[in-house]
Amino acid sequence: MRINNVLGLLYSNSYDDALPELTNLRTMGSVPFGCMYRLIDFPLSSMVNSGVGKVGVITKSNYRSLMDHLAMGKPWDLARKNEALFLLPPFSAGGIVGNQTRMEGLFGAMAFLQNSKEEYVIMSDCHTVCNIDYRLLMKKHKSSGADITVAACRGTAPNLSCMRFQVDAAQDDRITEIAIQRDPTPDTLYSLNIFVMRKSLLERLAQEALRMGRTDFERDVMQPQVQSLRMHAVVEDGFVRVIDSLQSYYDVSMSLLVCHQSLFSANRPVLTKVQDDMPTIYGLHSSVKNCLAADGCKLEGKAEHSVVFRNVWIEPGAVVKNCILMQGTYVSAGAHLENVIADKNVVIKPNKTLVGTPNYPVYLGKGIVI
Amino acid sequence: MLLAGGQGSRLGVLTKNVAKPAVPYGGKYKIIDFPLSNCVNSGIDTVGVLTQYQPLELTDYLGSGAPWDLDRMNGGVHVLSPYQQISGSTWYKGTANAIYQNIHFIDRYDPDYVLILSGDHIYKMDYAKMLDYHKEKQADCTIAMLEVPWDEASRFGLMIVNDDGTIAAFEEKPKNPRSNKASMGVYVFSWAKLRAYLLADEANESSSNDFGKDVIPAMHQAGERMVAYAFDGYWKDVGTIDSLWESNMDLLNPKIDLDLNDPDWRIFARSPVAPPHHIAPSAVVQNSMVSAGCYVGGMVDFSILFPQVTVQEGAIVRDSIIMPGAIVESGAVVQYAIVAENAVIRQNAAVGCRPEDMRDKDAWGIAVVGIGVEVAQGAVVPAKAMVDTDVGGAVI
């Protein structure tokens, strides 16, 4: 079903600085994740699977890999004649210099917003791995009569500057208080930064903020108006993981080995750029246990409890344990890797050993030869 | 022009509802991906696919041709089915008639040369080189040939080739072969010549309208310049259950020269949307090919798993091909078998048998479970059997 009156807006660079290793050369949205995806695939697929037919992607910097990945939007069925996928790079107008904050992203996207006919907007960041049915979110938004609905999660808040909510359960989880903190406080209701509201409201809020010189959506817009606007939280209890550091990137990746079924739902498939790799080959003496692997690999050695991306080659006699090996990693015979995150095209030469610990994984940058 | 209308009756239940070129091969491909990808990689951007038998699956699969980069402003992929005309409607009577009925399609592009391919072979070939050879030799017809082992030669259409590359004689599956140079079913024709011969062939009422039987012998007899183009590489006809099984297994043999991951010669396919595959802690996977969306909890050895296949804990799959969406439940044993799409092998069932476990070697063969067939708990599908209805459980 296509819900044509909802516009999607994605922030591809949100919280880049939380993951400096992986976002040094790319946006948060184009960080490789889960063997064959990039983080933007999750919110983008959620939108498409919920019937959203027009999506704007707000970018800030280093978005070459993102453009390469999204291209015309074909894998998401967004390569249409009209109204489909729009890349919104920094747009400097009215003294604002490009997409540094959520609000500045909106200023830059103002023309895009105004030219869209949709009645509602869903905004999302890219640092949250989840597969949410936005139709339910829309339904709750309409039934509660909220001005703004925010998806939230209960638990230990991520180590990021993001909103924590106090809600009134008697009033259908209306938000009564917003705190903006950085600490990973346990057992709070924290924002997933997925917002639903009328497009007209978003335009009005953005214009007001622009006039007043306010640039922070959460601090300058949401927090002061918690009484004057009806804001509701919708608690998500499916697979929701926020990536706030390299450590959490590692932990969330590893958690897929246990509960990937809850993320890769058959009804709401996660869509990604199509590759033409052949299926993965397991060698004569390969010993692979508890791994997730993409196509195009050649696994001839030993791999255990690892996440293996496309075109990874593990030679006979190599040992890989608790690792994340991104696209094109080559592990030579006799090498031993434990608790390692290897970025794209890393080469491990014969008999090299690299061992991190589960709470301090070793990160190898793109293309490094060891 | 890609001939894809054949039924492939020797593939039995696998081609009950689909044409042979749409039969799955090699973990994520269909047979037609090979000639199509070869075309694209050779720089051919206009391809007519001639369909007749059960075209739905194939037509769906081809779609706009985008997976092969054949959704073009001019040219691209065209599905050519038999159609009604003022003079009535006829099915494609033979391979030559299929091309004859589409002369107007070819004329539309006004080509100098036409490449005729068939949709039932697995190989990687640069047709551009063959075309260069055709031009260099100033030939009217160039036929790709492959040297086959002498003891197998009598299964093929053979050519006796002169030293200058011209063809001296043809022999169709002779008992005592005089040559081991087999035709691969890949032809380059100069279009003007072929067009004339197609018209003549159609006018000849005694003709069976077949390239191999009628058109090519007629050209040869009339003294047209026919040359053989030697091809050296992997090529396999996958027209039978045994050859389909063998050709799939060849992908697991590192000594066989068929690299599907060559970045310079990609085999394109319409990829399914499926998450990465999961190898569970209990799994043992060796010398096998595993595709996206699979779950392996049991033992998989010398086998090919297509996308979305489930092999539960305690199941054993050996020397087999498991096609998309099939499920092998715990305790089931699948050996030397082809399990077609969405088939379900229930707990403790047994499909196929190893040749070394058979007393009567002649009774041994690959077992085939048809599309969507359910093999009940504890049931047995013996070697060489081919089932296309559900198989009941054993009576205890």
Coordinates of all heavy atoms in Angstrom, one line a residue, chain A residues 34-37 74 256-257 260-261 264 269-271 274-297 299 308 310-311, chain B residues 26-29 64 66-67 71 251-252 259-261 266-269 271 273-292 295 302 305:
Chain A
G34 N 25.7 -5.2 8.9 CA 25.0 -6.4 8.7 C 25.2 -7.1 7.5 O 24.3 -7.5 6.8
C35 N 26.5 -7.3 7.1 CA 26.9 -8.2 6.0 C 26.8 -7.5 4.6 O 27.6 -7.7 3.7 CB 26.3 -9.5 5.9 SG 26.6 -10.6 7.3
M36 N 25.7 -6.8 4.4 CA 25.4 -6.4 3.0 C 24.7 -5.0 3.0 O 24.3 -4.6 1.9 CB 24.7 -7.4 2.3 CG 23.4 -7.9 3.0 SD 22.8 -9.4 2.3 CE 21.8 -8.7 1.0
Y37 N 24.4 -4.5 4.1 CA 23.6 -3.2 4.1 C 24.5 -2.0 4.4 O 25.6 -2.1 4.8 CB 22.5 -3.4 5.1 CG 21.6 -4.6 4.9 CD1 21.8 -5.7 5.7 CD2 20.6 -4.5 4.0 CE1 21.0 -6.8 5.4 CE2 19.8 -5.6 3.7 CZ 20.0 -6.8 4.5 OH 19.2 -7.9 4.2
K74 N 16.7 2.8 -7.3 CA 16.0 1.6 -7.9 C 15.8 0.5 -6.9 O 14.6 0.0 -6.9 CB 16.9 1.1 -9.1 CG 16.2 0.1 -9.9 CD 16.0 0.5 -11.3 CE 15.0 -0.4 -12.0 NZ 14.4 0.1 -13.1
L256 N 23.2 -9.4 16.0 CA 22.4 -9.9 14.8 C 22.6 -11.5 14.8 O 21.7 -12.2 14.3 CB 23.0 -9.4 13.5 CG 22.7 -8.0 13.2 CD1 23.3 -7.6 11.8 CD2 21.2 -7.7 13.1
L257 N 23.7 -12.0 15.3 CA 23.9 -13.4 15.3 C 22.8 -14.1 16.1 O 22.5 -15.3 15.9 CB 25.3 -13.8 15.8 CG 26.4 -13.4 14.8 CD1 27.8 -13.4 15.5 CD2 26.4 -14.3 13.6
H260 N 18.8 -12.0 14.4 CA 18.6 -11.3 13.0 C 17.2 -11.5 12.5 O 16.8 -10.7 11.7 CB 19.7 -11.9 12.1 CG 19.6 -13.4 11.8 ND1 19.0 -13.9 10.8 CD2 20.1 -14.4 12.6 CE1 19.1 -15.2 10.8 NE2 19.7 -15.5 11.9
Q261 N 16.5 -12.6 12.9 CA 15.2 -12.8 12.4 C 14.3 -11.7 12.7 O 13.4 -11.3 11.9 CB 14.6 -14.1 12.9 CG 15.1 -15.4 12.2 CD 16.1 -16.1 13.1 OE1 16.7 -15.5 14.0 NE2 16.2 -17.4 12.9
F264 N 15.3 -8.8 10.1 CA 15.1 -9.1 8.7 C 13.7 -9.8 8.6 O 13.6 -11.0 8.3 CB 16.2 -10.0 8.1 CG 17.5 -9.3 8.3 CD1 18.6 -10.0 9.0 CD2 17.8 -8.1 7.8 CE1 19.8 -9.4 9.1 CE2 19.0 -7.5 7.9 CZ 20.0 -8.1 8.6
P269 N 11.0 -6.5 4.2 CA 12.4 -6.8 3.8 C 13.2 -5.5 3.8 O 12.7 -4.5 3.5 CB 12.3 -7.4 2.4 CG 11.0 -6.8 1.8 CD 10.0 -6.7 3.0
V270 N 14.4 -5.7 4.3 CA 15.4 -4.6 4.2 C 16.0 -4.6 2.8 O 16.6 -5.6 2.4 CB 16.5 -4.7 5.3 CG1 17.4 -3.5 5.3 CG2 15.8 -4.9 6.7
L271 N 15.8 -3.5 2.1 CA 16.2 -3.4 0.7 C 17.6 -2.8 0.6 O 17.9 -1.9 1.4 CB 15.2 -2.6 -0.1 CG 13.8 -3.2 0.0 CD1 12.8 -2.1 -0.4 CD2 13.6 -4.5 -0.7
V274 N 21.6 -3.7 -5.2 CA 21.8 -5.1 -5.7 C 23.3 -5.3 -6.2 O 23.8 -4.4 -6.9 CB 20.9 -5.4 -6.9 CG1 21.0 -6.8 -7.4 CG2 19.5 -5.1 -6.5
Q275 N 23.9 -6.4 -5.8 CA 25.2 -6.7 -6.3 C 25.1 -8.0 -7.1 O 24.2 -8.8 -6.9 CB 26.2 -6.9 -5.1 CG 26.2 -5.7 -4.1 CD 26.9 -4.5 -4.7 OE1 27.5 -4.6 -5.7 NE2 26.7 -3.4 -4.0
D276 N 26.1 -8.2 -7.9 CA 26.0 -9.4 -8.8 C 27.1 -10.4 -8.4 O 27.7 -11.0 -9.2 CB 26.1 -9.0 -10.2 CG 24.9 -8.3 -10.7 OD1 23.9 -9.0 -10.8 OD2 24.9 -7.1 -10.9
D277 N 27.3 -10.6 -7.1 CA 28.2 -11.6 -6.6 C 27.6 -13.0 -6.7 O 26.4 -13.2 -6.6 CB 28.6 -11.4 -5.2 CG 29.1 -10.0 -4.9 OD1 30.1 -9.6 -5.6 OD2 28.5 -9.3 -4.1
M278 N 28.5 -14.0 -6.9 CA 28.0 -15.3 -6.9 C 27.8 -15.7 -5.4 O 28.2 -15.0 -4.5 CB 29.0 -16.3 -7.5 CG 30.3 -16.5 -6.8 SD 31.5 -17.5 -7.6 CE 30.7 -19.1 -7.5
P279 N 27.0 -16.8 -5.2 CA 26.9 -17.2 -3.8 C 28.2 -17.5 -3.1 O 29.2 -17.7 -3.8 CB 26.0 -18.4 -3.9 CG 25.3 -18.3 -5.2 CD 26.3 -17.6 -6.1
T280 N 28.2 -17.6 -1.8 CA 29.4 -17.8 -1.1 C 29.9 -19.3 -1.2 O 29.1 -20.2 -1.1 CB 29.2 -17.4 0.4 OG1 29.2 -16.0 0.4 CG2 30.3 -18.0 1.3
I281 N 31.2 -19.5 -1.3 CA 31.7 -20.8 -1.4 C 32.4 -21.2 -0.1 O 33.2 -20.4 0.5 CB 32.8 -20.8 -2.5 CG1 32.2 -20.6 -3.9 CG2 33.6 -22.1 -2.5 CD1 31.7 -21.8 -4.6
Y282 N 32.1 -22.4 0.4 CA 32.7 -22.9 1.5 C 33.7 -24.0 1.1 O 33.4 -24.8 0.2 CB 31.7 -23.5 2.5 CG 30.9 -22.5 3.2 CD1 29.8 -21.9 2.5 CD2 31.2 -22.1 4.5 CE1 29.1 -20.9 3.1 CE2 30.4 -21.1 5.1 CZ 29.4 -20.5 4.4 OH 28.6 -19.5 5.0
G283 N 35.0 -23.9 1.6 CA 36.0 -24.8 1.1 C 36.0 -26.1 1.7 O 35.1 -26.5 2.5
L284 N 36.9 -26.9 1.2 CA 37.0 -28.4 1.5 C 37.1 -28.6 3.1 O 36.5 -29.4 3.6 CB 38.2 -29.0 0.8 CG 38.2 -30.5 0.6 CD1 36.9 -30.9 0.0 CD2 39.3 -30.9 -0.3
H285 N 37.9 -27.7 3.7 CA 38.1 -28.0 5.1 C 37.6 -26.8 5.9 O 38.1 -26.5 7.0 CB 39.6 -28.2 5.4 CG 40.2 -29.3 4.6 ND1 39.7 -30.6 4.8 CD2 41.0 -29.4 3.6 CE1 40.3 -31.4 4.0 NE2 41.1 -30.7 3.2
S286 N 36.7 -26.0 5.4 CA 36.2 -24.9 6.1 C 35.5 -25.3 7.4 O 34.8 -26.3 7.4 CB 35.4 -24.0 5.2 OG 34.1 -24.5 5.2
S287 N 35.6 -24.5 8.4 CA 34.9 -24.7 9.6 C 34.2 -23.4 10.0 O 34.9 -22.5 10.5 CB 35.8 -25.2 10.7 OG 35.2 -25.1 12.0
V288 N 33.0 -23.2 9.7 CA 32.3 -22.0 10.0 C 31.1 -22.3 10.9 O 30.3 -23.1 10.7 CB 31.8 -21.4 8.7 CG1 31.0 -20.1 9.0 CG2 32.9 -21.0 7.7
K289 N 31.1 -21.6 12.1 CA 30.1 -21.8 13.1 C 29.5 -20.4 13.5 O 30.3 -19.5 13.7 CB 30.7 -22.4 14.3 CG 31.5 -23.7 14.1 CD 30.6 -24.9 14.3 CE 31.4 -26.2 14.0 NZ 30.6 -27.3 13.6
N290 N 28.2 -20.3 13.6 CA 27.6 -19.1 14.1 C 28.1 -17.9 13.4 O 28.6 -17.0 14.0 CB 27.9 -19.1 15.6 CG 26.8 -18.2 16.3 OD1 25.8 -17.9 15.7 ND2 27.1 -17.7 17.5
C291 N 27.9 -17.8 12.1 CA 28.3 -16.7 11.3 C 27.1 -16.2 10.5 O 26.3 -17.0 10.0 CB 29.5 -17.0 10.4 SG 31.0 -17.1 11.3
L292 N 27.1 -14.9 10.2 CA 26.2 -14.4 9.2 C 27.2 -14.0 8.0 O 28.2 -13.3 8.2 CB 25.5 -13.1 9.7 CG 24.2 -13.3 10.4 CD1 23.8 -11.9 10.9 CD2 23.1 -13.9 9.6
A293 N 26.8 -14.4 6.8 CA 27.7 -14.1 5.7 C 26.9 -13.6 4.5 O 25.8 -14.1 4.3 CB 28.5 -15.3 5.3
A294 N 27.5 -12.7 3.7 CA 26.8 -12.3 2.5 C 27.3 -13.1 1.3 O 28.1 -14.0 1.5 CB 27.2 -10.8 2.2
D295 N 26.9 -12.8 0.1 CA 27.3 -13.5 -1.1 C 28.8 -13.1 -1.5 O 29.3 -12.1 -1.0 CB 26.4 -13.1 -2.3 CG 25.1 -13.9 -2.3 OD1 25.0 -14.8 -1.5 OD2 24.3 -13.6 -3.2
G296 N 29.3 -13.9 -2.3 CA 30.6 -13.6 -3.0 C 31.8 -13.9 -2.1 O 32.9 -13.5 -2.5
C297 N 31.6 -14.6 -1.0 CA 32.8 -14.9 -0.1 C 33.4 -16.2 -0.5 O 32.8 -17.0 -1.1 CB 32.4 -14.9 1.3 SG 31.7 -13.4 2.0
L299 N 35.1 -18.9 1.9 CA 35.4 -19.2 3.3 C 36.1 -20.6 3.4 O 35.4 -21.6 3.2 CB 34.2 -19.1 4.1 CG 33.4 -17.8 4.0 CD1 32.1 -17.8 4.9 CD2 34.2 -16.6 4.3
V308 N 30.3 -11.5 8.3 CA 31.2 -11.5 7.2 C 30.4 -10.8 6.0 O 29.4 -11.3 5.6 CB 31.6 -12.9 6.8 CG1 32.5 -13.0 5.6 CG2 32.2 -13.6 8.0
R310 N 30.3 -9.0 2.0 CA 30.5 -9.5 0.6 C 32.0 -9.6 0.3 O 32.8 -8.8 0.7 CB 29.9 -8.5 -0.4 CG 28.4 -8.4 -0.2 CD 27.9 -7.2 -1.1 NE 28.6 -7.3 -2.4 CZ 29.2 -6.2 -2.9 NH1 29.2 -5.1 -2.3 NH2 29.8 -6.3 -4.1
N311 N 32.3 -10.6 -0.6 CA 33.7 -10.8 -1.2 C 34.8 -10.9 -0.2 O 35.9 -10.4 -0.4 CB 34.0 -9.6 -2.1 CG 33.1 -9.7 -3.4 OD1 32.8 -10.8 -3.8 ND2 32.7 -8.5 -3.9
Chain B
G26 N 23.3 -22.9 -10.3 CA 24.4 -22.3 -9.6 C 24.1 -21.4 -8.5 O 24.8 -20.3 -8.3
G27 N 23.2 -21.7 -7.7 CA 23.0 -20.9 -6.4 C 22.1 -19.7 -6.5 O 21.3 -19.5 -5.7
K28 N 22.2 -18.9 -7.6 CA 21.3 -17.8 -7.7 C 20.9 -17.5 -9.1 O 20.1 -16.5 -9.3 CB 21.9 -16.5 -7.0 CG 23.1 -16.0 -7.8 CD 23.8 -14.8 -7.1 CE 23.1 -13.5 -7.5 NZ 23.9 -12.4 -7.1
Y29 N 21.4 -18.2 -10.0 CA 21.2 -17.9 -11.4 C 20.1 -18.8 -12.0 O 19.6 -19.7 -11.4 CB 22.5 -18.1 -12.2 CG 23.6 -17.4 -11.6 CD1 24.5 -18.1 -10.8 CD2 23.9 -16.1 -11.9 CE1 25.6 -17.5 -10.2 CE2 24.9 -15.4 -11.3 CZ 25.8 -16.1 -10.4 OH 26.8 -15.5 -9.8
S64 N 12.0 -5.9 -17.6 CA 12.5 -4.8 -18.5 C 13.9 -5.1 -18.9 O 14.5 -4.4 -19.7 CB 12.4 -3.5 -17.8 OG 13.3 -3.5 -16.7
A66 N 16.5 -4.9 -16.8 CA 17.4 -4.1 -16.0 C 18.5 -4.9 -15.3 O 19.6 -4.4 -15.3 CB 16.6 -3.3 -15.0
P67 N 18.3 -6.1 -14.8 CA 19.4 -6.7 -14.1 C 20.6 -7.0 -15.1 O 21.7 -7.2 -14.6 CB 18.8 -8.1 -13.6 CG 17.3 -7.8 -13.5 CD 17.0 -6.8 -14.6
D71 N 17.7 -2.7 -20.3 CA 16.6 -1.7 -20.4 C 17.1 -0.5 -21.1 O 17.6 0.4 -20.5 CB 16.0 -1.4 -19.0 CG 17.0 -1.0 -18.0 OD1 18.2 -1.3 -18.1 OD2 16.6 -0.3 -17.1
L251 N 30.8 -26.2 -10.2 CA 31.1 -24.9 -9.5 C 31.9 -25.1 -8.2 O 32.5 -24.2 -7.7 CB 29.8 -24.2 -9.2 CG 29.1 -23.6 -10.4 CD1 27.7 -23.1 -10.0 CD2 29.8 -22.5 -11.1
L252 N 31.8 -26.3 -7.7 CA 32.5 -26.6 -6.4 C 33.9 -27.1 -6.6 O 34.6 -27.3 -5.7 CB 31.7 -27.6 -5.6 CG 30.3 -27.1 -5.2 CD1 29.5 -28.2 -4.5 CD2 30.3 -25.8 -4.4
D259 N 34.7 -19.3 -13.4 CA 34.6 -18.4 -12.3 C 33.5 -17.4 -12.5 O 33.4 -16.6 -13.4 CB 36.0 -17.6 -12.3 CG 36.0 -16.5 -11.2 OD1 35.1 -16.6 -10.3 OD2 36.9 -15.7 -11.2
L260 N 32.5 -17.5 -11.6 CA 31.3 -16.6 -11.7 C 31.5 -15.3 -11.0 O 30.7 -14.5 -11.0 CB 30.1 -17.3 -11.1 CG 29.8 -18.7 -11.7 CD1 28.4 -19.2 -11.1 CD2 29.7 -18.6 -13.2
N261 N 32.7 -15.1 -10.3 CA 32.9 -13.9 -9.6 C 33.9 -13.0 -10.3 O 34.5 -12.1 -9.7 CB 33.4 -14.2 -8.2 CG 32.5 -13.5 -7.2 OD1 31.4 -13.0 -7.5 ND2 32.9 -13.5 -5.9
R266 N 31.0 -10.5 -15.4 CA 30.0 -10.9 -14.4 C 28.8 -11.7 -15.1 O 28.4 -11.4 -16.2 CB 29.4 -9.6 -13.9 CG 30.1 -9.0 -12.6 CD 29.8 -9.9 -11.5 NE 30.9 -10.1 -10.6 CZ 31.2 -9.4 -9.5 NH1 30.4 -8.5 -9.1 NH2 32.2 -9.7 -8.8
I267 N 28.3 -12.6 -14.3 CA 27.1 -13.2 -14.7 C 26.0 -12.5 -14.0 O 25.9 -12.6 -12.7 CB 27.1 -14.7 -14.5 CG1 28.3 -15.4 -15.2 CG2 25.8 -15.4 -14.9 CD1 28.3 -15.3 -16.7
F268 N 25.1 -11.8 -14.7 CA 24.1 -11.0 -14.0 C 22.8 -11.9 -13.8 O 22.6 -12.8 -14.5 CB 23.7 -9.8 -14.8 CG 24.9 -8.9 -15.1 CD1 25.5 -8.9 -16.4 CD2 25.4 -8.1 -14.1 CE1 26.6 -8.1 -16.6 CE2 26.6 -7.3 -14.4 CZ 27.2 -7.3 -15.6
A269 N 22.1 -11.5 -12.8 CA 20.9 -12.3 -12.5 C 19.9 -11.3 -11.8 O 20.3 -10.3 -11.2 CB 21.2 -13.5 -11.6
S271 N 18.5 -10.6 -8.7 CA 18.8 -11.1 -7.4 C 17.5 -11.0 -6.5 O 16.8 -10.1 -6.5 CB 19.9 -10.3 -6.8 OG 21.1 -10.4 -7.5
V273 N 15.5 -10.5 -3.0 CA 15.7 -9.7 -1.8 C 15.8 -10.6 -0.6 O 14.8 -11.2 -0.3 CB 14.6 -8.6 -1.6 CG1 14.8 -7.9 -0.3 CG2 14.5 -7.7 -2.8
A274 N 17.0 -10.8 -0.1 CA 17.1 -11.7 1.0 C 18.3 -11.3 1.9 O 19.2 -10.7 1.4 CB 17.4 -13.1 0.5
P275 N 18.1 -11.5 3.2 CA 19.2 -11.1 4.1 C 20.4 -12.0 4.0 O 20.3 -13.0 3.2 CB 18.5 -11.2 5.5 CG 17.4 -12.2 5.3 CD 17.0 -12.1 3.9
P276 N 21.5 -11.7 4.7 CA 22.6 -12.6 4.7 C 22.3 -14.0 5.1 O 21.3 -14.2 5.8 CB 23.7 -11.9 5.6 CG 22.9 -10.9 6.4 CD 21.7 -10.5 5.5
H277 N 23.1 -15.0 4.8 CA 22.7 -16.3 5.2 C 23.3 -16.6 6.6 O 24.3 -15.9 7.0 CB 23.1 -17.4 4.2 CG 24.6 -17.5 4.0 ND1 25.2 -17.0 2.9 CD2 25.5 -18.2 4.7 CE1 26.5 -17.3 3.0 NE2 26.7 -18.0 4.1
H278 N 22.7 -17.5 7.4 CA 23.2 -17.7 8.7 C 23.6 -19.1 8.9 O 22.9 -20.1 8.6 CB 22.0 -17.4 9.7 CG 22.4 -17.5 11.1 ND1 21.5 -17.8 12.1 CD2 23.6 -17.4 11.8 CE1 22.1 -17.9 13.3 NE2 23.4 -17.6 13.1
I279 N 24.9 -19.3 9.3 CA 25.4 -20.6 9.6 C 25.3 -20.7 11.2 O 26.0 -20.0 11.9 CB 26.8 -20.8 9.1 CG1 27.0 -20.4 7.6 CG2 27.4 -22.2 9.4 CD1 26.2 -21.3 6.7
A280 N 24.5 -21.7 11.7 CA 24.3 -21.8 13.1 C 25.5 -22.5 13.8 O 26.3 -23.1 13.1 CB 23.0 -22.6 13.4
P281 N 25.6 -22.4 15.1 CA 26.7 -23.0 15.8 C 26.8 -24.5 15.6 O 27.8 -25.1 15.6 CB 26.4 -22.7 17.3 CG 25.6 -21.5 17.3 CD 24.8 -21.5 16.0
S282 N 25.6 -25.1 15.3 CA 25.6 -26.6 15.2 C 25.9 -27.0 13.8 O 26.0 -28.2 13.5 CB 24.1 -27.1 15.5 OG 23.2 -26.4 14.6
A283 N 26.1 -26.1 12.8 CA 26.3 -26.4 11.4 C 27.7 -26.9 11.1 O 28.6 -26.6 11.7 CB 25.9 -25.2 10.6
V284 N 27.7 -27.8 10.1 CA 29.0 -28.1 9.4 C 28.8 -27.9 7.9 O 27.9 -28.5 7.3 CB 29.3 -29.6 9.7 CG1 30.6 -30.0 8.9 CG2 29.4 -29.9 11.1
V285 N 29.5 -26.9 7.4 CA 29.3 -26.6 6.0 C 30.7 -26.8 5.3 O 31.6 -26.1 5.7 CB 28.8 -25.2 5.7 CG1 28.5 -25.0 4.3 CG2 27.5 -25.0 6.5
Q286 N 30.8 -27.6 4.4 CA 32.1 -27.8 3.7 C 31.9 -28.0 2.2 O 30.9 -28.6 1.8 CB 32.9 -29.0 4.2 CG 33.4 -28.7 5.6 CD 34.2 -29.7 6.2 OE1 34.1 -30.9 5.8 NE2 35.1 -29.4 7.1
N287 N 32.8 -27.4 1.4 CA 32.8 -27.6 0.0 C 31.5 -27.4 -0.7 O 31.0 -28.2 -1.4 CB 33.4 -29.0 -0.4 CG 34.1 -28.9 -1.7 OD1 35.0 -28.1 -1.9 ND2 33.8 -29.8 -2.6
S288 N 30.8 -26.3 -0.3 CA 29.5 -26.1 -0.7 C 29.3 -24.6 -1.1 O 30.2 -23.8 -0.9 CB 28.5 -26.4 0.4 OG 28.5 -27.8 0.6
M289 N 28.2 -24.3 -1.7 CA 27.8 -23.0 -2.1 C 26.5 -22.6 -1.4 O 25.6 -23.4 -1.4 CB 27.6 -22.9 -3.6 CG 27.5 -21.6 -4.2 SD 27.2 -21.8 -5.9 CE 28.6 -21.0 -6.6
V290 N 26.6 -21.5 -0.7 CA 25.4 -21.1 0.1 C 25.0 -19.7 -0.3 O 25.8 -18.8 -0.4 CB 25.7 -21.1 1.6 CG1 24.4 -20.8 2.4 CG2 26.2 -22.5 2.0
S291 N 23.7 -19.5 -0.5 CA 23.2 -18.2 -1.1 C 22.5 -17.4 0.0 O 22.3 -17.9 1.2 CB 22.2 -18.4 -2.2 OG 22.7 -19.3 -3.1
A292 N 22.1 -16.2 -0.3 CA 21.5 -15.3 0.6 C 20.2 -15.9 1.2 O 19.5 -16.6 0.6 CB 21.1 -14.0 -0.1
Y295 N 19.4 -20.6 6.0 CA 19.7 -20.9 7.3 C 20.2 -22.4 7.3 O 19.6 -23.3 6.9 CB 18.5 -20.8 8.2 CG 18.7 -21.4 9.6 CD1 19.4 -20.6 10.5 CD2 18.3 -22.7 9.9 CE1 19.7 -21.2 11.8 CE2 18.6 -23.2 11.2 CZ 19.3 -22.5 12.1 OH 19.6 -23.0 13.3
F302 N 29.4 -30.8 -0.1 CA 29.3 -30.9 -1.6 C 28.0 -30.6 -2.1 O 27.4 -31.4 -2.9 CB 29.8 -32.3 -2.0 CG 31.3 -32.5 -2.0 CD1 31.9 -33.0 -0.9 CD2 32.0 -32.1 -3.1 CE1 33.3 -33.1 -0.9 CE2 33.4 -32.2 -3.1 CZ 34.0 -32.8 -2.0
L305 N 23.2 -24.6 -2.2 CA 22.0 -24.1 -1.6 C 21.6 -22.8 -2.3 O 22.4 -21.9 -2.3 CB 22.1 -23.9 -0.1 CG 22.6 -25.0 0.8 CD1 22.5 -24.7 2.3 CD2 21.9 -26.3 0.5

